Amino acid sequence: MVFMGDRATLLETGRFVQRHARNAADEIIEAVPAVDAVVVDSTPRARAVPDAGPDTEAETEAETEGRHRRAAERGDTDAMSALGALLLRRGDLDGAEPFLRGATAEGDRAAANNLGVLLHQRGYPDEAAGWWRVAAVAGSAPAAHALGRHHRERGDEPAAEYWLRQAAEQGHALGAYALADLLEHRSDVGAERWLRAAAEQGHREAAYRLALALERRATETLRGPHAYGPTAATGRAGHAYDTAGRLRAADPAHAGDDRPPVPVPAAAPARAGETGGPGPLGEAEQWFRQAAARGHRRAALHLGAILEQRGELKEAGRWYLSSAKEGEAKAACALGFLLRDAGDEESAAVWWLRAAQDGDGNAANALGALHAARGEQQTAERWYRAAMDAGDVNGAYNLGLLCAAQDRLPQAEQWYRRAAYAGHREAANALAVLLLQAGDAGGAEPWFSKAAEAGSVDAAFNLGIIHAGRDEDRSALAWYERAAAAGHTEAALQVGIAALREGDERTAERHLRCAAGGGSAEAAFRLATLLDARRPEPGPVVLGAPVDQKTECEEWYERAAQQGHRRAQVRVGMLAAGRGDLTGAARWYREAAEAGSRNGAFNLGLLLAREGSEREAALWWTRAARAGHGRAALRLALLAARRGELSEGRKWCARAVELGPAEVAERAARLSEALHQELTA
């Protein structure tokens, strides 16, 4: 039973993070340490942007400030600009303003940009924009970036794009990133170019978003058209039907055993040590790695997921740990799963607790499953409620499973219904099963349909069972085929059986192979029977001849037999006997007979009688005859006749006549008449 939450939906959309919560002013301030130029008499002369650090290793910040101050007092424009920038970065707005204004008056564009920053911080955005415009027109990339952000905040996207493009084309990383963000908002394909430009200059958020874009495009290419089938939402439902149409209930002892899959796109696995292969997925991984190396916690989370999917668990754990230590709850949750899978349940619980306390509903679900598996139902329920309160609908579904396992069916229905109304497809399926168990078939079917249309494979299979029960074979087959296409083992078996009835052996074999490969013993037996019918009749056994190798059909028979399929066990015994392997034949006949197979009991009796163990053979024939095996009854009649137990023989003859088949009944009738004549002689 799956008590885990939905990790995949947190990541697979490519937006498992909120964008940096940095306001416009923060990014404008970042323009201060850029390289700029000052305009004097319309002739630009290069100089470094004022820096708050010392000019020499030995010079302290106080000495630097003193040197700039003395030069500024002598009217040095560069010194005024540098001193104003130093004071601005320190937060001394009152001290910085006169120096910045003085330098600006002398045509210093860096001072004009920084004066805009100061005014923006004071709460005068329009006046700040005026100075940014002066600096931007003079060629300041930081000012163009700041001005573009100013216009975007006011909804003037054309002006914003113009100035951001000016900054980006001058190689300004923040300008390139802001331009990419604007274009991406408009779904403009040019966004990726500027994300790449910013990323190449070390902008970690740009590297992260570029990686997301590359991954999203590669994933869409790999997936192709949307196919019906399960997603990683919750795994299987709490209940489903078996092949006979009986309800299959979830086992609360297995709570939390099924870990949701790692949410990264399917791709050819890379070898250990590789950092991603060629193509968009490999490039995406490289950008995730660069952003993570620069401290981007969400990139570290995503990189960890990619590495985990590829089986590089040690490195994945390091990136999860790095992200979790920076406060990323989802990374803490993922690290918990990794530790749980490694057998360290206690450490896993520590990280899940940390993530759950930070509001991660999936971690709360994991804690609930952990306590449910330990039998701590009240604690489990508390964590499932915490997951639900965190907005994770799986919490309500898991509460339903927990209540159902305790036979608290009204409460289970309540929680299933709550999750189902919120769109949880497996909860809808579980609710339908619960209603069907209560005799409300009319109320169950719409929920099955809703779950199936949302992608629940079990619900599609269950609808097939419902339609089959009404003899609506065409509708049943359609649902079975839909579930089988999504990998449902029992549905594939039903499609295979239907194809066999129609004589379509090719289709039947394909679906039976799928079902048998998925672990269905019945499918393995039917596949073996299909293959068995195609092979030529074996020749007579020659003493001393080498034993033939097992055929494919015998391998499938054995697979079914090993899963306890009685008819397969009998058939494996027959094939072993045909090869001269009487020991193996006896073993399989005995397993089948002890499991209740009358054919197994009859064949075991034949082997025992051949070996001289007639008394034990009679015991197995008796068991088979009482279970309705006519030939076993005839054998018992013959055995009794040889012993002179004429009345006993006639009794078994009567049983053989009753059971048949025709040839057995005929022989038993003749034997009974002979015994009667002998009795009356």
Side-chain angles (χ1 to χ4, degrees):
M1 177 172 63
V2 181
F3 276 72
M4 291 290 96
D6 179 3
R7 292 178 62 213
T9 55
L10 302 174
L11 298 173
E12 67 182 2
T13 61
R15 293 192 179 275
F16 61 90
V17 302
Q18 296 296 322
R19 297 175 181 172
H20 275 310
R22 309 170 70 180
N23 57 39
D26 292 331
E27 294 199 356
I28 293 169
I29 293 172
E30 292 187 30
V32 174
V35 172
D36 211 331
V38 62
V39 177
V40 179
D41 296 331
S42 302
T43 304
R45 56 188 176 89
R47 68 159 179 79
V49 163
D51 189 76
D55 288 345
T56 67
E57 292 183 4
E59 191 177 36
T60 65
E61 182 177 336
E63 290 171 340
T64 301
E65 180 182 345
R67 179 168 54 81
H68 285 323
R69 191 177 292 277
R70 288 190 296 274
E73 289 172 352
R74 293 195 299 269
D76 188 296
T77 302
D78 286 354
M80 286 190 287
S81 180
L83 180 59
L86 188 151
L87 295 172
L88 175 62
R89 295 167 75 181
R90 185 188 296 167
D92 184 0
L93 304 188
D94 291 336
E97 186 171 355
F99 292 107
L100 292 176
R101 287 190 180 277
T104 300
E106 295 297 325
D108 189 301
R109 76 178 190 194
N113 173 64
N114 295 339
L115 180 57
V117 173
L118 184 148
L119 292 168
H120 187 276
Q121 290 188 2
R122 285 192 183 278
Y124 302 110
D126 293 333
E127 189 177 352
W131 288 113
W132 282 329
R133 181 179 296 276
V134 169
V137 168
S140 171
H145 162 248
L147 188 57
R149 290 298 303 269
H150 171 81
H151 284 298
R152 188 175 180 190
E153 287 174 2
R154 278 152 180 72
D156 188 353
E157 290 198 0
E161 181 180 352
Y162 174 82
W163 288 111
L164 291 175
R165 194 174 293 277
Q166 294 294 316
E169 288 176 348
Q170 293 181 62
H172 191 269
L174 288 171
Y177 175 73
L179 176 59
D181 186 72
L182 176 63
L183 295 175
E184 188 177 68
H185 177 71
R186 297 206 307 247
S187 301
D188 191 313
V189 293
E192 185 176 318
R193 170 198 170 191
W194 294 111
L195 278 177
R196 188 180 299 276
E200 288 172 348
Q201 294 178 70
H203 195 293
R204 67 182 190 182
E205 182 68 15
Y208 169 68
R209 288 177 62 177
L210 175 60
L212 288 180
L214 291 167
E215 184 184 66
R216 187 160 51 245
R217 186 169 67 247
T219 302
E220 289 169 356
T221 302
L222 286 170
R223 286 178 179 170
H226 176 70
Y228 177 87
T231 65
T234 56
R236 290 300 176 89
H239 303 83
Y241 286 101
D242 63 16
T243 53
R246 296 183 295 270
L247 286 170
R248 182 173 73 237
D251 182 0
H254 292 86
D257 282 357
D258 294 327
R259 178 180 178 177
V262 179
V264 295
R271 293 185 296 274
E274 290 183 340
T275 58
L281 279 176
E283 188 182 1
E285 181 182 339
Q286 292 169 7
W287 286 115
F288 279 133
R289 190 176 292 276
Q290 288 194 32
R294 295 185 181 112
H296 196 294
R297 68 186 192 187
R298 296 171 184 86
L301 167 63
H302 212 103
L303 179 59
I306 291 173
L307 293 166
E308 183 182 357
Q309 177 75 3
R310 203 161 62 216
E312 299 175 27
L313 303 183
K314 189 173 182 180
E315 188 179 359
R318 288 200 299 268
W319 287 112
Y320 283 149
L321 179 61
S322 171
S323 180
K325 284 181 175 179
E326 292 298 318
E328 182 57 55
K330 295 176 182 64
C333 181
L335 180 60
F337 279 112
L338 212 59
L339 291 166
R340 192 280 307 270
D341 291 349
D344 190 353
E345 200 172 76
E346 294 305 317
S347 296
V350 170
W351 286 104
W352 282 335
L353 178 61
R354 181 168 174 173
Q357 288 174 338
D358 286 340
D360 189 280
N362 188 40
N365 272 316
L367 284 171
L370 186 65
H371 289 288
R374 294 173 177 173
E376 301 166 357
Q377 307 299 332
Q378 289 185 339
T379 306
E381 184 171 338
R382 177 168 61 84
W383 281 113
Y384 288 146
R385 288 180 181 273
M388 189 173 60
D389 292 341
D392 192 332
V393 69
N394 290 294
Y397 173 57
N398 290 339
L399 280 169
L401 291 173
L402 194 65
C403 293
Q406 298 171 347
D407 291 326
R408 295 158 54 195
L409 299 186
Q411 292 91 335
E413 180 181 342
Q414 170 194 347
W415 292 118
Y416 285 151
R417 200 175 287 277
R418 179 167 178 171
Y421 275 120
H424 196 294
R425 65 189 189 194
E426 299 305 341
N429 179 66
L431 174 61
V433 172
L434 207 61
L435 294 172
L436 200 60
Q437 288 176 321
D440 185 5
E445 188 171 348
W447 284 111
F448 277 137
S449 296
K450 183 174 182 179
E453 292 297 345
S456 170
V457 183
D458 281 333
F461 177 67
N462 292 343
L463 280 171
I465 292 288
I466 288 177
H467 285 285
R470 299 174 186 161
D471 294 326
E472 299 170 355
D473 294 339
R474 187 178 297 276
S475 297
L477 182 59
W479 284 112
Y480 286 146
E481 287 176 339
R482 192 168 181 178
H488 195 288
T489 297
E490 300 302 330
L493 170 62
Q494 295 300 324
V495 175
I497 292 172
L500 283 176
R501 283 198 302 264
E502 296 295 327
D504 185 355
E505 289 192 1
R506 184 185 298 274
T507 301
E509 181 180 347
R510 177 164 55 87
H511 283 95
L512 290 175
R513 284 187 183 277
C514 290
S520 169
E522 181 66 22
F525 173 72
R526 288 178 180 268
L527 175 60
T529 303
L530 184 63
L531 298 173
D532 200 4
R534 296 175 183 169
R535 69 189 187 108
E537 288 292 330
V541 177
V542 179
L543 293 176
V547 178
D548 294 337
Q549 291 185 344
K550 294 177 183 177
T551 61
E552 185 188 5
C553 74
E554 188 169 357
E555 290 175 354
W556 284 114
Y557 277 135
E558 283 196 3
R559 181 178 295 195
Q562 288 163 357
Q563 293 177 254
H565 195 287
R566 294 183 302 181
R567 293 171 65 191
Q569 289 169 341
V570 173
R571 186 60 184 154
V572 171
M574 293 172 66
L575 291 171
R579 292 196 310 271
D581 181 9
L582 300 184
T583 301
R587 178 173 66 86
W588 284 112
Y589 287 151
R590 190 176 296 277
E591 282 201 29
E594 290 175 347
S597 169
R598 61 191 185 187
N599 285 330
F602 175 71
N603 290 353
L604 179 59
L606 291 177
L607 281 184
L608 291 169
R610 187 180 304 172
E611 295 172 355
S613 302
E614 198 171 75
R615 183 179 297 277
E616 187 180 357
L619 293 175
W620 288 109
W621 283 335
T622 301
R623 180 182 291 193
R626 287 174 176 167
H629 199 287
R631 294 183 188 278
L634 179 59
R635 287 279 177 173
L636 288 169
L638 291 168
L639 191 60
R642 285 202 304 271
R643 292 173 178 171
E645 300 170 355
L646 305 183
S647 297
E648 182 73 7
R650 290 200 71 201
K651 183 188 78 171
W652 285 115
C653 281
R655 180 67 172 158
V657 169
E658 177 187 348
L659 295 173
E663 61 180 78
V664 170
E666 184 180 346
R667 289 182 60 192
R670 288 200 304 269
L671 178 59
S672 180
E673 181 61 27
L675 293 175
H676 175 70
Q677 290 178 4
E678 189 170 342
L679 279 169
T680 58

